[in-house]
Amino acid sequence: MKSKATLKQIAKELGVSVSTVSKALNDSPEISEPTKIRVQEYAKLKNYKPNVIGLNLKNRSTKTIGVIIPNILNQFFAKVFTGIEKVADEKGYKVITCISNESLEKEISALEMLSNGTIDGFILSISEEAQKLQKFDHFKSIINEGTPIVMFDRIADEVNCDKVIVDDLDSAVNATEHLIKTGCKKIALFSSIDNLSVGKLRAKGFYKALENNGIKVDENLVILTETAEDFDTTSANFFDKNKVDAVFALDEHASVMAMKMGIKKGLKIPEELSVIGFADGVWSRRYTPSLSTVSQHGPEIGEVATKMLIDKLESKEEVYNHKTTIVKTELRQRESTRKI
């Protein structure tokens, strides 16, 4: 995405006021012809495009937030959205939602479509494809245009904006150590999201917990894939080839498959096989036995992200320091793990 200049940037570069730039671009008779030509040519060179809606320079506000979610079928993102909508409604803001469907192209398209003045700012989680390709310039361009972004869950350190994350690494350490405290010694690691930043952090936490407890990692017990399909293929005969007493699964699909394969193998849960999953959808409680999970507090993440964005939109401060807020997770013990 080509970077577009803002009125403020043009004014700074040309050494004139924002008001002068605005009047020159609108062909105001108050501005001399040479200044008009200079401003208009520079704006064209810098790819300046005026907002379609709300052209009031100082108080442009549509009271609308753009939300871009990678996958609406994922219960975590659905829960985050409930938190976003709750706070937006309380603050008098409307919400326009787009689904990137894990596609970089759709993500860029959604940003371009809504950043023409339709919305005041974005709340988003990065698509799988953007993370895999490490393509983040489209976010930087939107921010450079003056539209703020708050990222949640899947973030990019390279992008200078507000962020809301969960303590993925620490919570993975805690979950793994919980299994160790219940007497588990041969713990498998299952993941179908190894291409995502959150998946890598959780895997790192698993390795760290084993190291902290003097347990040597058996790589035969580690399945790290980038898709659910690859995970199913790779893990098909896992319990036929390996004897384990626990599984730590880093996503909902891997969690479900761990339970399903263990039960199919005839293993008693949790007596012979303990399972903790990094997911907390409604089905976690409805499984038989119910699944112990790391809960990410999705609604709270959505609420925090929305408050951060609205605070920035309504702030009168010229200088704004970006911050990262960490929402603590919670280990919810159910029937798939032994009691300490």
Side-chain angles (χ1 to χ4, degrees), residues 57-154:
L57 296 175
K58 292 183 179 178
N59 301 307
R60 183 187 72 79
S61 176
T62 65
K63 299 286 280 187
T64 304
I65 294 169
V67 178
I68 304 178
I69 294 174
N71 181 356
I72 196 63
L73 297 177
N74 184 310
Q75 288 207 28
F76 167 69
F77 292 123
K79 286 185 173 184
V80 172
F81 182 74
T82 64
I84 292 172
E85 200 168 46
K86 177 177 178 283
V87 173
D89 187 55
E90 289 171 354
K91 300 284 188 178
Y93 281 74
K94 300 182 291 294
V95 176
I96 296 177
T97 310
C98 292
I99 314 300
S100 70
N101 216 16
E102 306 292 9
S103 161
L104 173 61
E105 184 181 350
K106 287 184 178 179
E107 188 170 73
I108 292 173
S109 177
L111 283 168
E112 288 182 332
M113 177 181 69
L114 296 178
S115 64
N116 67 350
T118 304
I119 53 92
D120 296 337
F122 286 101
I123 298 172
L124 59 87
S125 189
I126 301 175
S127 68
E128 179 182 322
E129 189 176 13
Q131 285 208 316
K132 188 173 183 178
L133 299 174
Q134 291 291 289
K135 297 277 189 181
F136 307 124
D137 285 349
H138 49 302
F139 301 123
K140 295 175 185 176
S141 295
I142 294 296
I143 293 167
N144 288 339
E145 289 172 25
T147 304
I149 290 176
V150 176
M151 291 182 172
F152 71 89
D153 190 48
R154 303 183 199 168

